[in-house]
Amino acid sequence: MVPLMGCPHLEDRVGMAPAILSLVASLRKGLYADHLQWASIRKTRSWYSNAYKAGAGYQNNTVYSRTGQTMVATTCPTDGPWFTNFMRGLKLRQGEITKQDHPFTSPIILALNHVCELHWTKLVDEKDKADVEDFMVFVLMEFCGDLRGEEVTLLSLKGLMTFWHSTVSAEVPYVMLTLHGRFKGETGLRWHCIPIPIRTKSKLPVLKWFTRALRRRTETDGRVTGWFFADAALKRRKMSYYEPMLQDHLQSVKEDYRGVIPDGIDIEGYSLRRSGRSGAHTEATNNKVPIEVVTTMGRWRKRELARGTQPGMPMTQVYLRVRNAVPTLLSFASDF
């Protein structure tokens, strides 16, 4: 009546080995706790599964397809019920510690402008001046354009120059950000055009820093193509290059402009990865920007896709599709 328990063969049939590897990985020190978070531990499952299917464990899989959904039969133990329940139990027992970046505000951006302006005027080395200019452009793009930090570095210099004169001299002047790359949730390389206002309620210095940075590239460096954020070898710079500058300048803001950053707030909680985007959403909500506008800016990739922006579409075609929506998109940050 009772099913036969145990197995006479010494083998791992349920994924005990990757389970032990996951537990060992969890003992490593994390960023916010003495151990790794579950989101990092689960990567063990991914690499083990990929290695298993790329090695001797691969076999001619049986494929099941139904109304567009595809399922593949596999013998990988990490896809089995025991290991799935193990990972679920690990998450429930361990829990998760989430930490969101502190949001930028218009006063913080203005204080950063004052700090960077003073720092810029005292600098002698042109490379250091260029870094200050790029840093402020980075922050303004992220805040006014509702962008993630990793998306900012995809700015194309040639694309920016293509529409620069026509957009900054428009009746309602703005800067058209031209980004080229593959973003989260997308396939293929795409162009994205994001307008940000030059005139804002708090007088954010958008035009000043963009003009300085462009003048340096076109007149000093003689460069009109490639990535906007580029190193000496003209390779695209990563967001991490500007992160130490943020911490240094925010420390000056906290010391010299009391109250802009509230007491008790650790400046290490600010990051170029998400602070600008988070702050943009908060400011837009406080300024009672219509939810449709916030959604359009926050989900601009989805909107472009719905309008037919496919991988490989030329930048000019993307610009023409976005141009009609410029007044709506500019209202997102106009009251910042």
Side-chain angles (χ1 to χ4, degrees):
M1 299 296 293
V2 179
L4 181 64
M5 305 297 291
C7 178
H9 305 292
L10 184 60
E11 59 180 336
D12 182 9
R13 299 183 301 164
V14 297
M16 194 69 70
I20 294 174
L21 289 173
S22 299
L23 292 176
V24 172
S26 70
L27 299 178
R28 298 203 303 264
K29 184 175 179 59
L31 292 176
Y32 310 126
D34 294 333
H35 56 78
L36 287 183
Q37 297 291 311
W38 184 83
S40 298
I41 300 172
R42 65 179 180 176
K43 295 179 181 179
T44 302
R45 178 180 188 173
S46 298
W47 74 253
Y48 186 93
S49 177
N50 292 334
Y52 183 93
K53 295 169 185 176
Y58 174 79
Q59 53 187 279
N60 293 328
N61 295 322
T62 302
V63 179
Y64 306 92
S65 180
R66 179 184 179 186
T67 62
Q69 295 181 348
T70 301
M71 295 179 291
V72 179
T74 177
T75 58
C76 182
T78 56
D79 295 326
W82 186 90
F83 192 85
T84 300
N85 290 333
F86 164 78
M87 291 299 292
R88 180 175 181 273
L90 178 63
K91 182 179 181 180
L92 293 175
R93 291 192 304 273
Q94 185 187 54
E96 287 187 275
I97 300 176
T98 58
K99 183 179 179 182
Q100 294 183 337
D101 293 340
H102 300 327
F104 286 153
T105 62
S106 293
I108 289 179
I109 302 299
L110 291 173
L112 281 173
N113 169 60
H114 295 153
V115 168
C116 289
E117 179 67 29
L118 182 61
H119 186 51
W120 186 85
T121 56
K122 292 181 179 179
L123 289 172
V124 177
D125 187 85
E126 293 299 323
K127 180 182 179 301
D128 293 337
K129 281 192 170 185
D131 284 344
V132 175
E133 294 164 3
D134 291 356
F135 168 77
M136 280 305 303
V137 169
F138 195 111
V139 171
L140 289 166
M141 281 182 58
E142 193 177 53
F143 188 62
C144 296
D146 193 20
L147 296 170
R148 299 178 178 88
E150 60 270 21
E151 296 169 348
V152 172
T153 59
L154 297 175
L155 180 64
S156 166
L157 175 59
K158 182 178 180 180
L160 185 66
M161 292 295 300
T162 300
F163 308 115
W164 175 259
H165 296 291
S166 61
T167 56
V168 299
S169 60
E171 183 178 355
V172 179
Y174 62 95
V175 175
M176 181 63 79
L177 306 178
T178 52
L179 310 173
H180 188 246
R182 182 184 294 109
F183 294 159
K184 183 178 180 181
E186 293 183 347
T187 58
L189 299 177
R190 303 175 188 270
W191 281 102
H192 300 282
C193 295
I194 313 296
I196 61 174
I198 288 178
R199 300 169 183 167
T200 64
K201 188 175 181 179
S202 61
K203 298 182 180 180
L204 296 177
V206 174
L207 185 61
K208 178 180 74 173
W209 290 107
F210 267 92
T211 301
R212 286 180 178 176
L214 281 176
R215 184 182 296 120
R216 182 175 301 279
R217 283 159 175 75
T218 56
E219 298 180 6
T220 304
D221 300 337
R223 189 165 66 89
V224 294
T225 61
W227 299 109
F228 184 91
F229 298 98
D231 57 18
L234 301 183
K235 293 184 178 180
R236 182 164 61 94
R237 275 208 171 116
K238 295 183 178 179
M239 176 189 64
S240 57
Y241 179 83
Y242 303 99
E243 198 72 52
M245 303 181 197
L246 175 67
Q247 301 301 319
D248 292 342
H249 295 320
L250 284 178
Q251 185 61 42
S252 299
V253 168
K254 193 168 186 178
E255 294 174 356
D256 300 337
Y257 297 88
R258 306 292 296 181
V260 173
I261 299 178
D263 294 336
I265 298 297
D266 188 359
I267 61 173
E268 293 184 357
Y270 292 94
S271 170
L272 289 176
R273 185 173 299 277
R274 293 293 184 273
S275 289
R277 184 176 173 89
S278 175
H281 284 179
T282 302
E283 291 263 337
T285 302
N286 292 341
N287 293 331
K288 295 180 172 56
V289 175
I291 187 62
E292 294 80 7
V293 177
V294 176
T295 301
T296 301
M297 283 295 292
R299 306 296 180 186
W300 50 273
R301 292 185 299 279
K302 183 180 297 185
R303 176 182 59 79
E304 286 185 0
L305 183 60
R307 293 192 176 192
T309 302
Q310 299 298 327
M313 180 174 285
M315 177 185 62
T316 52
Q317 292 187 22
V318 178
Y319 169 73
L320 291 175
R321 292 174 180 272
V322 174
R323 187 175 60 177
N324 293 333
V326 164
T328 299
L329 298 176
L330 291 180
S331 65
F332 175 80
S334 295
D335 288 336
F336 283 8

